[in-house]
Amino acid sequence: MKKKVFAILTVFILLLTACSGNKSGNEEVKKLLNNKDKLVVGTSADYPPYEFITNKGGKTEYVGIDMEMARYIAEKWGVELEIQDVKFESLLVGLETGTFDMVIAAMSPSPERKASFSDVYYNSTHGFIIRKGDEGKYKTLKDFEGKTIGVQLGSVQEELAKGIKDIKTKGLPVVTTLLLELKSGKIDAILMEKPVADSYVLSNSDLTVVKDVEVKDDSQGSAVAMREDAKELTQEVNKVIKEIKEKNLVDEWVIDSNKLMNDAEQPNHYGLFVKGIETTLLLSLVSLLIGFVLGMVFILIRMKHIPVISFIIGAFVEIVRGTPMMLQILIVYFGLDVLGAKTSAFTSSIIAVSINSAAYVSEIIRSGIESISKGQMEAGRSLGLSENQTMKKIILPQAFKNILPALGNEFVTLIKETSIASTIGVGELMFQTTKIQSLTFEAMKPLMIVSIIYFVLTFTLTRLMKLMEGKLNYDN
């Protein structure tokens, strides 16, 4: 009896020790994640079977080899997983600014990339996708001389293509756009990893993969990327990767990912488009309202003719108007992270688009005010009104009537330009279109549908603005 009790106690103590050790290990990892209970992973979910989107029970889900690895790491560390889907070329920027804790996106550990890479977790070869019917043209790598090869911007294929003799390369940020270029004859082939190529060919019957032609990759496969100074975090990731290799989990994930691509449910396209419309309109409307208020404040302050303040506001307006909105969105999104003020992609987009709108709206309001005769101000003052009262009751109502068409045009422009927010993963119309392309592996059809949606939105808004102009046209 004593032996049994002793054995039970021994097992209990060992279990407590193991649990305590595991908890201690998790606490160490959390310290490396800046004491967060969340692991933020950046990816670009248009690269099956590594990372892509599928439809499960009416809900979209990030799946693939890399996404399974992200889930395994988060589960192993006992933290919540957050996946942020952005364009591939923005991943390392987000890593550097601290937006992501790590990037898992079939990224090769190239020395040129400023990151700390884990051990390689998966090796694959690179091949070419071509149009069906062109198989006879390409038997060896030499047959591609003089041809235009498509590659994804920022990918290892972009570097590999430079080593192929006498070819032209065309880099684009999204794989589905490359497929469209290939189908339309604008490029002759696409260079990508063979598992990815096989995935896209399965859903594009007019394309095929070139047999027996491969491109060697000296970077030796795919690895997890972390910040350059995150050496301890890299070591922790390597421990998990070692365990994954010992259990042969990657091979299982490859099989599961291929099965998901073949058996995925048909997504609810309409639901995704509706979500995109809602986000686009909300982002545009909120940004225009904030931009209008800021623009009004800017112009009223400038009209006070305080030299220093007027100069600062004027310089700010010119800088915003003189730089692309995409640059502004990226600076706000990643810049706030650098300053320690982490915000969501949607909030960052509202801030950037509002500032951009304010710069243009302030100039619209200025032109509206200047279109009113100076005699109006003098008449108001002669009636005993103050300058502010005259501006509020006489000048601004007339100016608003004059600038209404320009404000309507600004709203229409914002609806179209908010598509840039898809670069940082905001779920507006273009982001949802890319998601549908990833779900269906079709390039052209979703683009045609979204173009019709944009036209309906902008045309309807234009007609509504015409009706408002008619009601305000007292002269008629």
Side-chain angles (χ1 to χ4, degrees):
M1 183 68 180
K2 289 181 179 180
K3 288 183 178 180
K4 285 184 179 180
V5 172
F6 180 75
I8 291 170
L9 285 172
T10 303
V11 171
F12 183 69
I13 291 169
L14 287 172
L15 284 171
L16 282 176
T17 305
C19 291
S20 174
N22 186 54
K23 184 177 179 182
S24 175
N26 289 344
E27 291 301 320
E28 287 298 319
V29 170
K30 286 179 182 179
K31 285 181 182 178
L32 299 176
L33 295 174
N34 297 321
N35 294 316
K36 296 184 301 180
D37 289 322
K38 181 188 291 183
L39 173 65
V40 182
V41 174
T43 194
S44 181
D46 64 344
Y47 207 62
Y50 290 95
E51 50 268 342
F52 59 104
I53 303 166
T54 190
N55 192 56
K56 288 185 177 180
K59 293 184 179 180
T60 55
E61 184 179 338
Y62 293 104
V63 294
I65 302 167
D66 290 342
M67 299 299 93
E68 291 303 319
M69 172 164 288
R71 290 186 183 94
Y72 190 90
I73 292 173
E75 186 178 343
K76 193 71 182 174
W77 290 349
V79 294
E80 180 188 346
L81 175 64
E82 179 183 330
I83 296 171
Q84 294 195 15
D85 181 17
V86 301
K87 296 289 177 65
F88 189 83
E89 67 269 23
S90 299
L91 287 172
L92 289 181
V93 179
L95 194 63
E96 186 178 350
T97 57
T99 305
F100 319 128
D101 297 310
M102 60 182 65
V103 168
I104 309 181
M107 190 172 282
S108 298
S110 171
E112 290 80 16
R113 288 174 169 154
K114 293 184 178 180
S116 174
F117 284 98
S118 70
D119 296 335
V120 170
Y121 59 83
Y122 187 65
N123 292 286
S124 65
T125 55
H126 303 268
F128 294 92
I129 293 181
I130 59 172
R131 293 178 291 274
K132 264 191 179 175
D134 289 348
E135 294 93 332
K137 296 180 182 179
Y138 307 107
K139 299 296 183 184
T140 66
L141 195 57
K142 191 175 181 181
D143 294 330
F144 287 94
E145 291 182 7
K147 304 296 182 182
T148 302
I149 308 300
V151 292
Q152 187 176 30
L153 282 176
S155 67
V156 69
Q157 289 81 28
E158 190 175 18
E159 293 299 317
L160 289 174
K162 293 177 182 177
I164 302 173
K165 187 179 178 183
D166 297 329
I167 66 162
K168 300 173 185 177
T169 58
K170 185 171 184 178
L172 292 171
V174 182
V175 175
T176 48
T177 308
L178 286 171
L179 293 173
L180 195 58
E181 293 271 311
L182 178 60
K183 290 182 179 185
S184 62
K186 294 179 180 177
I187 58 177
D188 299 296
I190 304 172
L191 178 61
M192 62 173 65
E193 290 190 57
K194 281 209 165 178
V196 182
D198 291 335
S199 300
Y200 278 110
V201 165
L202 281 173
S203 301
N204 291 271
S205 57
D206 52 344
L207 302 177
T208 188
V209 178
V210 179
K211 295 180 179 179
D212 303 323
V213 178
E214 295 180 351
V215 179
K216 299 295 182 183
D217 179 7
D218 294 333
S219 60
Q220 301 293 317
S222 302
V224 179
M226 286 145 283
R227 289 180 58 145
E228 281 187 295
D229 56 357
K231 302 300 181 185
E232 292 181 50
L233 186 62
T234 305
Q235 291 174 3
E236 293 297 327
V237 172
N238 284 337
K239 291 177 185 177
V240 181
I241 289 176
K242 182 181 178 183
E243 183 178 311
I244 288 170
K245 286 181 176 179
E246 289 172 352
K247 294 181 178 179
N248 293 319
L249 291 177
V250 174
D251 292 335
E252 292 180 20
W253 294 339
V254 171
I255 295 169
D256 292 342
S257 298
N258 288 326
K259 190 174 185 298
L260 274 173
M261 286 185 290
N262 293 327
D263 301 339
E265 301 174 31
Q266 284 297 314
N268 183 357
H269 294 176
Y270 297 108
L272 292 175
F273 280 128
V274 168
K275 286 181 183 177
I277 291 170
E278 290 173 353
T279 305
T280 296
L281 290 177
L282 181 61
L283 178 57
S284 303
L285 183 59
V286 171
S287 298
L288 181 63
L289 291 174
I290 296 174
F292 181 82
V293 173
L294 286 176
M296 181 67 76
V297 171
F298 288 166
I299 196 62
L300 291 178
I301 291 175
R302 290 181 73 179
M303 290 179 66
K304 296 294 183 181
H305 302 295
I306 304 172
V308 176
I309 297 177
S310 294
F311 174 79
I312 292 172
I313 293 175
F316 174 78
V317 168
E318 292 304 319
I319 290 171
V320 172
R321 294 176 69 199
T323 52
M325 188 186 287
M326 177 179 281
L327 180 63
Q328 294 162 17
I329 288 176
L330 292 174
I331 287 175
V332 171
Y333 182 54
F334 294 121
L336 288 175
D337 284 344
V338 172
L339 296 174
K342 289 186 178 294
T343 58
S344 67
F346 184 75
T347 303
S348 297
S349 296
I350 286 181
I351 294 170
V353 178
S354 297
I355 291 172
N356 182 278
S357 180
Y360 285 94
V361 169
S362 68
E363 290 300 293
I364 291 171
I365 296 172
R366 181 187 61 78
S367 65
I369 292 173
E370 290 180 354
S371 70
I372 307 302
S373 170
K374 291 183 179 179
Q376 299 276 345
M377 176 63 77
E378 294 170 359
R381 297 303 301 276
S382 67
L383 291 172
L385 298 175
S386 67
E387 183 177 343
N388 288 339
Q389 287 175 325
T390 304
M391 180 64 68
K392 181 181 177 181
K393 295 183 177 181
I394 297 175
I395 305 298
L396 288 180
Q398 295 179 77
F400 178 75
K401 174 187 169 184
N402 292 342
I403 67 174
L404 187 59
L407 287 175
N409 287 336
E410 174 67 9
F411 192 21
V412 169
T413 300
L414 284 181
I415 286 175
K416 293 182 289 185
E417 289 191 344
T418 49
S419 61
I420 298 170
S422 64
T423 308
I424 59 171
V426 176
E428 49 69 64
L429 265 173
M430 282 308 300
F431 180 86
Q432 300 296 351
T433 302
T434 305
K435 184 182 285 189
I436 291 169
Q437 288 176 322
S438 178
L439 283 164
T440 62
F441 304 103
E442 291 182 354
M444 194 62 191
K445 186 178 176 182
L447 292 177
M448 294 302 295
I449 294 173
V450 78
S451 65
I452 294 171
I453 292 173
Y454 271 118
F455 173 75
V456 170
L457 287 175
T458 54
F459 181 77
T460 302
L461 180 62
T462 302
R463 299 310 301 169
L464 288 173
M465 296 305 296
K466 290 283 186 184
L467 288 173
M468 287 184 67
E469 289 174 42
K471 287 185 177 295
L472 291 173
N473 192 3
Y474 302 115
D475 294 336
N476 292 338

